[in-house]
């Protein structure tokens, strides 16, 4: 956090802190979310101004309880933040909106600099680790973003028990949908009730994956044990 804050970057969680999904690697609370706070964006803007941020990442829990999955709140937050802090770069890390194209289009139309949607895990582990998610749906979302002027970005973790072929296949799939930016990090088990860590990868293995990703055409890659979605996010935007 200190490294990010010093660089003028911070990540904010919108749409509450209770998720409607139950991914086996995630430590966010699951259950029935509270009603949307329509004044949330004003708190966000106040924080950005007070911290004098140059780069803001907005993410959220998954809100399958909302008809648009929270897309309107993402779009409104981007538009209002753009007006209040014109020089600030904006990245949104979005859920899949259950594949609803109108929801995604609303976020794209708001004009964030980057739209990130994390794959999180390799395809063979998707059904067990992300039971409410859909691997191909997530790829379609990234493909749609890549077809616009908005920068597309994704990320995933390793250490769940995937094979090297699984990782390479995921890199190929992301490259095939023209994903421009990528983060790769080590999975850390939040508690004993979460999926166990099967392997801790050596930093040299992360460096190798970075070079493999660049060879597949990714424009910017962060790959390391402690890398997460918003790590060095501002460096990936011209």
């Amino acid at each position: 956090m200190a490294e990010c804050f010093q660089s003028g970057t911070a990540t904010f969680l919108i749409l509450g802190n209770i998720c409607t999904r139950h991914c086996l690697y995630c430590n966010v609370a699951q259950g029935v979310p509270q009603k949307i706070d329509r004044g949330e964006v004003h708190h966000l803007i106040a924080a950005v101004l007070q911290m004098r941020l140059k780069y803001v990442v907005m993410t959220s829990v998954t809100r399958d309880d909302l008809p648009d999955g929270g897309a309107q709140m993402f779009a409104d937050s981007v538009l209002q933040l753009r007006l209040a802090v014109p020089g600030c770069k904006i990245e949104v890390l979005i859920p899949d909106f259950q594949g609803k194209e109108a929801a995604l289009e609303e976020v794209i139309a708001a004009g964030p600099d980057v739209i990130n949607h994390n794959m999180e895990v390799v395809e063979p582990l998707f059904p067990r680790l992300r039971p409410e998610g859909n691997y191909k749906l997530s790829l379609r979302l990234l493909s749609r973003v890549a077809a616009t002027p908005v920068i597309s970005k994704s990320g995933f973790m390793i250490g769940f028990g995937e094979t090297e072929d699984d990782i390479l296949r995921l890199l190929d799939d992301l490259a095939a949908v023209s994903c421009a930016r990528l983060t790769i990090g080590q999975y850390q088990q939040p508690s004993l009730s979460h999926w166990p860590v099967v392997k801790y990868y050596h930093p040299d293995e992360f460096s190798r994956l970075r070079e493999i990703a660049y060879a597949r055409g990714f424009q910017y890659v962060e790959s390391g044990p402690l890398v997460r979605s918003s790590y060095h996010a501002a460096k990936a935007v011209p």
Side-chain angles (χ1 to χ4, degrees):
M1 285 190 297
E3 182 180 356
C4 289
F5 290 172
Q6 185 180 28
S7 68
T9 296
T11 302
F12 296 89
L13 185 72
I14 65 173
L15 293 168
N17 60 358
I18 299 177
C19 187
T20 55
R21 297 190 184 182
H22 186 262
C23 300
L24 300 189
Y25 50 78
C26 183
N27 204 31
V28 173
Q30 292 94 28
V32 179
Q34 296 177 337
K35 292 182 179 179
I36 291 178
D37 176 7
R38 294 296 177 183
E40 188 173 48
V41 64
H42 302 298
H43 301 305
L44 170 66
I45 290 171
V48 171
L49 289 170
Q50 183 176 348
M51 297 170 71
R52 300 178 181 178
L53 297 176
K54 302 174 183 177
Y55 196 99
V56 169
V57 180
M58 282 186 282
T59 188
S60 78
V61 292
T62 299
R63 294 293 303 263
D64 290 335
D65 60 310
L66 301 174
D68 69 347
Q72 183 181 359
M73 182 64 84
F74 269 106
D76 289 348
S77 297
V78 170
L79 292 170
Q80 293 189 49
L81 180 58
R82 186 79 76 199
L83 287 173
V85 194
C88 184
K89 299 283 189 180
I90 303 172
E91 175 177 325
V92 292
L93 172 55
I94 61 173
D96 61 26
F97 301 134
Q98 295 181 302
K100 296 174 181 175
E101 292 187 10
L104 177 59
E105 290 299 328
E106 187 169 15
V107 177
I108 292 172
D113 296 283
V114 178
I115 293 180
N116 185 0
H117 175 67
N118 284 335
M119 299 300 294
E120 302 290 13
V121 300
V122 298
E123 184 176 17
L125 294 176
F126 232 80
R128 283 183 285 173
L129 288 167
R130 303 194 66 184
E132 296 101 337
N134 183 292
Y135 184 85
K136 289 183 171 55
L137 185 152
S138 287
L139 286 175
R140 286 199 301 270
L141 183 154
L142 288 165
S143 177
R144 177 68 193 98
V145 175
T148 75
V150 181
I151 295 172
S152 59
K153 179 179 176 181
S154 189
F156 61 90
M157 297 173 287
I158 53 178
F160 297 103
E162 65 286 317
T163 67
E164 181 172 345
D165 284 344
D166 291 334
I167 297 172
L168 297 179
R169 195 155 47 243
L170 175 51
L171 290 174
D172 286 338
D173 288 342
L174 286 169
V177 296
S178 302
C179 183
R181 309 287 192 270
L182 180 67
T183 58
I184 307 173
Q186 170 69 50
Y187 168 61
Q188 305 282 354
Q189 185 179 13
S191 76
L192 292 177
S193 63
H194 287 81
W195 190 272
V197 177
V198 176
K199 176 182 177 178
Y200 283 104
Y201 286 78
H202 190 277
D204 289 347
E205 293 178 280
F206 280 100
S207 297
R208 177 171 171 268
L209 288 175
R210 181 190 302 112
E211 295 309 311
I212 291 173
Y214 274 126
R216 279 163 166 73
F218 289 90
Q219 298 172 19
Y220 188 87
V221 181
E222 285 286 351
S223 178
L226 297 181
V227 167
R228 291 297 180 263
S229 301
S230 56
Y231 184 65
H232 286 174
K235 291 186 176 181
V237 179

